[in-house]
Amino acid sequence: MNKEIVQEQALFDQVKQNLEAHYPTGWGGSAGVLLEDGSILTSISPDFPNAASSVCMELGSYLQAANLNKKITHSLCLVRENEKSAFQVLTPCGICQERLNFWGDQVLCAVEIDKHHSVQYLPLKELQPHHWLNVYREQ
């Protein structure tokens, strides 16, 4: 099995474990990133009393990667409706796509779990083919 597939499975497993640890019953969500050195960071968005103060689940991982001065290669966000339902992938929202651009347009973003129960990834540049930074990248 190739190294990237093993790392992607490890990312899925750690994000799933983090979700189950924080949300053993009911709805749950967790995110994680795979770093260039092979390490994995996970994060959640706490259920803040004031919904206006909520942040994306991925933000904690992104900030920690930046703080460690590590490059993100993969980003994954998992949710489930309850402890008996299947896991689903949330593609990075527009704000998180902007945040991921910090590490370049080659970051692989989870977009779905396919019929084989494998997470599918696309490069950020395919999610944002006309991103505003392209004007500066082409110079």
Side-chain angles (χ1 to χ4, degrees):
M1 191 175 279
N2 89 25
K3 180 180 175 183
E4 186 171 47
I5 292 172
V6 170
Q7 289 178 318
E8 288 172 354
Q9 185 61 51
L11 175 60
F12 181 89
D13 292 344
Q14 286 192 33
V15 170
K16 179 181 172 226
Q17 288 170 3
N18 192 50
L19 185 156
E20 291 171 336
H22 285 89
Y23 305 98
T25 60
W27 180 92
S30 179
V33 295
L34 177 63
L35 303 179
E36 193 170 47
D37 66 4
S39 57
I40 294 171
L41 305 172
T42 61
S43 57
I44 62 164
S45 178
D47 200 9
F48 294 107
N50 180 346
S53 64
S54 292
V55 295
C56 298
M57 287 176 265
E58 300 97 325
L59 183 58
S61 297
Y62 297 170
L63 292 173
Q64 191 174 359
N67 188 52
L68 294 169
N69 200 28
K70 302 283 186 175
K71 181 177 169 130
I72 291 174
T73 62
H74 293 67
S75 179
L76 170 65
C77 185
L78 284 180
V79 296
R80 59 137 208 254
E81 288 302 313
N82 61 56
E83 65 277 9
K84 295 179 179 156
S85 61
F87 290 97
Q88 297 177 305
V89 170
L90 296 182
T91 303
C93 73
I95 298 296
C96 283
Q97 289 180 35
E98 287 295 324
R99 292 170 178 150
L100 285 169
N101 258 301
F102 180 78
W103 293 279
D105 63 1
Q106 296 300 311
V107 174
L108 294 174
C109 303
V111 295
E112 68 180 351
I113 297 176
D114 69 15
K115 63 184 177 183
H116 305 291
H117 305 286
S118 298
V119 177
Q120 299 301 298
Y121 290 88
L122 289 176
L124 182 59
K125 71 179 181 178
E126 289 186 31
L127 299 181
Q128 298 182 322
H130 305 286
H131 190 268
W132 63 272
L133 275 176
N134 292 344
V135 170
Y136 301 103
R137 288 182 178 133
E138 294 171 2
Q139 292 180 357

